[in-house]
Amino acid sequence: MAEDLQKQNQINIELTEEVAEGQYANLAMIAHSSSEFVIDFIRLMPGVPKAKVKSRIIITPEHAKRLLAALADNIQKFEASFGDIKQAQEAPSFPMNFGGTVGEA
């Protein structure tokens, strides 16, 4: 019976070749409203004045909190295996205000 319930709760996830290749991003901009978080993944190249949003993900506040917990868990596991992740002392200096509440990662 437990096995039947487990089969019912399985999700079949499809990953196309194009999506599996991934997109490189070195900046994330986060905005939110009362009902959603919008995360723009951006590729910023040195010496190029224009950065491109490579992917935009829109999630609910509940999923944003789950993502935060999952990232924290994975960072802890990564650092346990490979050592502390070093961060630059200064934040990058580019225009950050898109006219709303913004965070960066």
Side-chain angles (χ1 to χ4, degrees), residues 29 39-43 51-56 98:
M29 303 290 294
I39 308 168
D40 286 335
F41 293 95
I42 300 162
R43 182 179 305 159
K52 281 193 165 186
V53 173
K54 301 308 287 181
S55 184
R56 171 173 279 186
F98 291 125

Side-chain angles (χ1 to χ4, degrees), residues 17-94:
E17 282 187 45
E18 181 183 4
V19 173
E21 289 179 12
Q23 288 287 335
Y24 176 77
N26 53 6
L27 177 67
M29 303 290 294
I30 304 169
H32 66 273
S33 70
S34 61
S35 60
E36 63 195 20
F37 278 73
V38 178
I39 308 168
D40 286 335
F41 293 95
I42 300 162
R43 182 179 305 159
L44 180 68
M45 302 304 290
V48 179
K50 191 174 189 178
K52 281 193 165 186
V53 173
K54 301 308 287 181
S55 184
R56 171 173 279 186
I57 305 298
I58 303 167
I59 58 178
T60 65
E62 181 181 3
H63 285 115
K65 199 162 190 175
R66 285 184 188 156
L67 176 62
L68 175 65
L71 281 171
D73 180 57
N74 276 270
I75 288 171
Q76 183 273 324
K77 289 174 182 173
F78 177 94
E79 289 183 331
S81 295
F82 303 107
D84 288 348
I85 298 170
K86 301 199 182 347
Q87 291 184 274
Q89 295 299 320
E90 289 183 18
S93 59
F94 4 84

